[in-house]
Amino acid sequence: GGSIQGARVLMQRGLRINSSAQDMWVQYFCLEMHYLQKLRGRREILQLSEKASTGDNKAANDSFADAPIPMIVYKNAVKAVPESVAFRMKFLDVCRLFPQTETLEKEITESMEKDFSDKPEAW
């Protein structure tokens, strides 16, 4: 297997060369979602093995629920390809492949409603 850092470097290099490559943006988003899911899995295993002290892990889990890196990728993708509803819908499709993406889906949906209020396909 490779490293997430190496994969990020390759994706970012490709996007610098061709920032309007929609499939590459979606795959970069998907890469970050897979990595986030891997981290969530590790966290769950560690918490189970430690028999979590107070049981109040909400604050720690919130950072994962917000999915900050995938959200940054999405926002940069929108800057690079601002006029496509279908492009943004692909990000929602990726979100639906993963658990605990409600916050991310909500932000994507709200950005579509804001930017494409005149286009029925964005509703």
Side-chain angles (χ1 to χ4, degrees):
S3 70
I4 185 68
Q5 293 85 5
R8 284 177 176 149
V9 166
L10 289 174
M11 294 302 282
Q12 291 166 358
R13 187 177 299 156
L15 288 166
R16 270 194 302 276
I17 294 168
N18 186 1
S19 64
S20 63
Q22 293 184 18
D23 287 340
M24 194 173 302
W25 280 111
V26 173
Q27 289 305 311
Y28 187 21
F29 182 80
C30 193
L31 169 76
E32 293 296 349
M33 292 301 294
H34 276 286
Y35 186 65
L36 182 63
Q37 187 61 29
K38 180 179 176 180
L39 293 178
R40 284 177 176 155
R42 283 184 182 169
R43 173 168 282 189
E44 286 176 20
I45 290 169
L46 289 173
Q47 287 175 349
L48 289 174
S49 67
E50 292 173 356
K51 303 284 186 201
S53 57
T54 63
D56 183 22
N57 296 314
K58 182 163 176 31
N61 289 330
D62 282 349
S63 65
F64 286 107
D66 293 344
I69 295 176
M71 194 64 213
I72 290 168
V73 172
Y74 171 75
K75 288 179 178 178
N76 287 332
V78 167
K79 286 179 190 171
V81 184
E83 301 299 322
S84 174
V85 174
F87 177 53
R88 296 194 199 189
M89 294 296 288
K90 290 179 184 178
F91 290 92
L92 283 176
D93 292 341
V94 171
C95 284
R96 292 179 182 132
L97 298 174
F98 296 91
Q100 302 170 328
T101 60
E102 296 80 13
T103 303
L104 190 56
E105 287 180 52
K106 183 177 181 235
E107 288 189 46
I108 292 170
T109 303
E110 287 173 356
S111 81
M112 289 173 56
E113 289 169 355
K114 179 178 141 272
D115 296 344
F116 300 111
S117 61
D118 59 333
K119 295 188 178 183
E121 63 267 28
W123 300 344

